[in-house]
Amino acid sequence: PRSTDDFNYATYHTLSEINSFIDALVQENPNLVSKIVIGQSYEGRPLNVLKFSTGANRPGIWIDTGIHSREWVTQASGTWFAKKIATDYGRDAALTAILDRFDIFLEIVTNPDGFQFTHTSNRMWRKTRKPNSGSRCAGVDPNRNWDAGFGGAGSSSNPCSETYRGTYAHSEPEVKAIVDFVTSHGNLKAFVSIHSYSQMLLYPYGYTKTPCRDQAELHEVAQRAVAALTSLYGTKYAYGSIINVIYQASGGTIDWTYDQGIKYSYTFELRDTGRYGFILPANQIVPTAQETWQALMVIMDHTKNNPY
Amino acid sequence: KENFVGHQVLRITPKNEAEVILLKELSQLEHLELDFWREPIDVSLPVDARVPFHSLQPVRSFLAYNEIHYDIMIADLQDLLDAEQQEMTKSRALQ
């Protein structure tokens, strides 16, 4: 594509195509968008993050898509979100107000090694690609690798399991890079990690049944976010804490971010048509992204209106 | 490139806690090489499992013997992946 206007958002793209898209978006919007590289994957790929910013020293909102590489609709939705943010700034009053107060950080391909592997070798690959010493099985589930109840129930110590936690918390460079970014930034106010599939909007905790101290507020925001999402195409979502709505999962992303003091920590599980699982047809990408955007706007707007 | 010809994805709907426990036991049988897209957790949630061709007979027998209800969500995974690739190729050609 010659520009991000020509990019086909209704098809799946390779890693290099997404990286070209990122560079094009930066080039087209130099006063709004920049690319920062927060680290390298195990195989040496850059961990690219788009920064949308209209001023200096702003608090931040983080969004990541595709930490599980085979969940292709997440990376595709992330690409659509990036274009949406660039397009709507200055046109949509709500988004403009958010960007006038906050920076938005968007990591479209959180697990580039795994994503590349799904395109070249194994479409069903979920984990990172680092070899595990003493095992024939490679990779760690990056959503069990965070220092939040690490090693507890709801994660596996078996390197061949899809939920293998790794040998220690933050052992995966893809996770460590975000950890370092979050701690060095020090002023993120919302953190949204997007997965697929099963149609859920979840908040902490996953590793303990103890309700998080902001549960009532997080629940109310989730309720409004899901209502906004559902209003577009009627897609039904469940919402609640991870441990109550899905299962006990230790070492999860948003449990760590919440414990770091990022109150508005949420994770999505995108569309489930009941027919395709991870292999969601490409014609579902844009509707999925559009409905998810409605919910994201509720979370970001609430973050803007409720400083802490 | 890994081939998924004959792999099926089953959507299994346990109707009680006993069936959830049976499905958890099934998930521990490593020789079947099942890939649980949605794990057996609770009666309220369906379970999706990718079953390699070589494990289809034992898995279906297990489910039938224990009278656990399931539907075939994806009849042949490779067919879907081929369609996905064709769609990407077509999109690039149009571009």
Side-chain angles (χ1 to χ4, degrees):
Chain A
R2 282 172 301 183
S3 78
T4 60
D5 290 333
D6 300 326
F7 190 85
N8 185 355
Y9 297 89
T11 190
Y12 290 114
H13 292 275
T14 62
L15 181 61
S16 66
E17 287 168 349
I18 293 175
N19 282 336
S20 297
F21 164 85
I22 287 172
D23 290 337
L25 195 73
V26 171
Q27 196 170 18
E28 293 166 11
N29 303 276
N31 297 322
L32 176 66
V33 192
S34 57
K35 179 177 84 172
I36 55 177
V37 180
I38 62 168
Q40 281 196 339
S41 67
Y42 170 75
E43 291 176 345
R45 295 186 174 86
L47 299 171
N48 294 323
V49 175
L50 282 169
K51 179 181 180 183
F52 300 84
S53 181
T54 62
N57 300 317
R58 302 275 173 85
I61 294 170
W62 171 278
I63 302 167
D64 67 73
T65 49
I67 202 169
H68 288 148
S69 48
R70 65 189 180 182
E71 300 168 6
W72 279 11
V73 76
T74 60
Q75 295 92 346
S77 295
T79 310
W80 187 93
F81 297 153
K83 180 64 175 173
K84 180 73 173 166
I85 296 168
T87 305
D88 277 7
Y89 180 68
R91 296 182 189 177
D92 177 87
L95 180 74
T96 303
I98 291 165
L99 273 171
D100 283 343
R101 296 262 299 277
F102 290 83
D103 295 339
I104 298 176
F105 298 93
L106 173 60
E107 188 176 14
I108 296 176
V109 186
T110 311
N111 175 8
D113 296 350
F115 189 65
Q116 178 72 3
F117 200 66
T118 63
H119 277 275
T120 54
S121 299
N122 182 347
R123 176 67 181 84
M124 292 297 107
W125 192 260
R126 163 187 165 101
K127 300 186 285 183
T128 61
R129 287 297 302 156
K130 194 165 75 175
N132 293 305
S133 165
S135 173
R136 65 184 166 82
C137 298
V140 165
D141 180 348
N143 199 31
R144 299 290 186 280
N145 189 238
W146 301 72
D147 192 11
F150 177 81
S155 67
S156 174
S157 59
N158 176 2
C160 294
S161 165
E162 295 290 2
T163 55
Y164 177 52
R165 65 177 78 106
T167 48
Y168 57 92
H170 309 165
S171 62
E172 301 309 285
E174 297 82 0
V175 171
K176 182 69 163 55
I178 301 175
V179 167
D180 290 345
F181 176 79
V182 169
T183 48
S184 67
H185 186 283
N187 200 20
L188 292 181
K189 297 298 184 185
F191 190 107
V192 184
S193 188
I194 301 183
H195 295 238
S196 73
Y197 66 112
S198 52
Q199 294 179 193
M200 295 169 178
L201 176 55
L202 307 167
Y203 51 77
Y205 285 110
Y207 74 88
T208 175
K209 285 208 161 193
T210 305
C212 69
R213 62 188 169 276
D214 300 299
Q215 172 147 320
E217 182 182 358
L218 295 183
H219 194 81
E220 186 272 329
V221 175
Q223 187 176 35
R224 283 194 288 118
V226 164
L229 184 154
T230 302
S231 70
L232 204 54
Y233 296 112
T235 307
K236 299 272 188 279
Y237 261 55
Y239 56 93
S241 69
I242 296 168
I243 198 165
N244 284 333
V245 175
I246 324 185
Y247 46 58
Q248 184 166 17
S250 302
T253 310
I254 63 162
D255 284 358
W256 182 82
T257 59
Y258 184 82
D259 283 345
Q260 293 300 302
I262 305 175
K263 176 160 63 163
Y264 301 116
S265 289
Y266 285 96
T267 185
F268 281 83
E269 296 279 355
L270 303 184
R271 267 192 191 199
D272 175 6
T273 60
R275 296 180 62 192
Y276 300 104
F278 301 116
I279 323 299
L280 204 62
N283 63 13
Q284 298 273 316
I285 295 170
V286 172
T288 302
Q290 287 172 328
E291 67 187 10
T292 309
W293 181 251
Q294 301 300 314
L296 280 173
M297 282 297 291
V298 169
I299 294 169
M300 293 193 292
D301 198 52
H302 184 88
T303 304
K304 172 182 70 80
N305 294 334
N306 293 272
Y308 64 94
Chain B
K1 212 168 194 178
E2 189 96 13
N3 191 299
F4 296 94
V5 171
H7 289 220
Q8 292 192 341
V9 180
L10 307 182
R11 172 155 285 193
I12 307 165
T13 44
K15 61 179 178 295
N16 54 45
E17 192 56 36
E19 291 189 356
V20 174
I21 291 168
L22 282 169
L23 291 172
K24 284 181 180 169
E25 289 171 6
L26 182 71
S27 73
Q28 302 301 316
L29 302 177
E30 288 185 10
H31 67 281
L32 294 175
E33 298 181 355
L34 304 182
D35 172 14
F36 277 80
W37 290 7
R38 299 175 65 151
E39 293 177 41
I41 301 297
D42 188 84
V43 177
S44 63
L45 296 171
V47 175
D48 293 342
R50 175 171 60 85
V51 185
F53 181 72
H54 68 80
S55 298
L56 274 176
Q57 281 198 44
V59 168
R60 286 179 166 203
S61 298
F62 176 90
L63 296 172
Y65 178 78
N66 291 290
E67 297 182 339
I68 301 174
H69 181 264
Y70 70 93
D71 296 299
I72 299 172
M73 187 166 85
I74 298 175
D76 188 317
L77 185 56
Q78 191 60 46
D79 284 350
L80 274 187
L81 299 184
D82 290 344
E84 190 178 67
Q85 279 303 310
Q86 279 172 12
E87 204 283 330
M88 287 176 73
T89 306
K90 188 175 146 196
S91 168
R92 279 198 201 95
L94 282 172
Q95 195 79 56

